[in-house]
Amino acid sequence: MSATTGPGHPLDTSPGSGPDAQVPQGEPQAARVALKGGDGARGLLDGAWWPYSRDLAAELPALIAVLDPLWGRVTRIAVNPLYWPVVPRKVPVHGHVVKVGWFKAEQDPHKLLLLSNAPGRWDLLVIPPGTPADSAARLMAAASDPAGPALTAGAHMAREADRLGAATGTGR
């Protein structure tokens, strides 16, 4: 697994490190992303991304900065608009433009689909920005584990909701 982290790393429990941690103005936040290794193991997901907000225009540049060197220049992204208040058609990132599209019925609302100029398609679990750090860490580890079960993004989120419900005795 490779991961790029910054303030609010899912495994960082230091004060001021959670999902609402403030980064000094003008300093970019590092992408919180965990990816499967390059050993060819794919499954349904290629990793997970834990954005700081639901603002795609603000969040995508840091994610693309991590993915471009690994996967080739990302040129297109597709989301389900259910959890994104605004889906911009284009987002400028590091000297190029990424086209953003959306699909309601066809795409899992917890998944980000990426296409690059290199052959390939990648799917990332999107962990909601307000997710507690311990849950985000479990989700990132599960989605980036090449030996883990082949679950959809929605199934990972449902499994975590069930686990949290069982822990609190409330169920889903």
Side-chain angles (χ1 to χ4, degrees), residues 3 28 45 54-55 60 62 81 87 98 122-123 135 141 154:
L45 295 170
R54 289 289 184 186
D55 182 349
L60 286 177
V87 179
V98 175
W122 295 272
D123 298 285
S135 289

Side-chain angles (χ1 to χ4, degrees), residues 120-149:
R121 165 190 163 158
W122 295 272
D123 298 285
L124 296 178
L125 166 66
V126 179
I127 300 168
T131 301
D134 58 338
S135 289
R138 275 190 299 277
L139 287 162
M140 290 181 94
S144 63
D145 181 0

Side-chain angles (χ1 to χ4, degrees), residues 56 76-84 87 99-115 121 123:
L56 276 174
R76 294 182 182 271
I77 292 176
V79 299
N80 181 314
L82 180 64
Y83 296 120
W84 300 103
V87 179
K99 294 180 181 177
V100 182
W102 55 269
F103 300 95
K104 284 186 178 180
E106 299 89 352
Q107 186 165 334
D108 186 323
H110 298 288
K111 184 175 81 172
L112 183 76
L113 182 148
L114 302 108
L115 300 171
R121 165 190 163 158
D123 298 285

Side-chain angles (χ1 to χ4, degrees), residues 38-59:
D39 62 358
R42 287 255 330 184
L44 299 177
L45 295 170
D46 299 293
W49 175 46
W50 186 24
Y52 295 91
S53 73
R54 289 289 184 186
D55 182 349
L56 276 174
E59 296 290 340

Side-chain angles (χ1 to χ4, degrees), residues 150-170:
L151 298 176
T152 64
H156 277 287
M157 296 302 294
R159 181 184 258 188
E160 182 65 11
D162 288 346
R163 195 202 71 71
L164 291 174
T168 62
T170 59

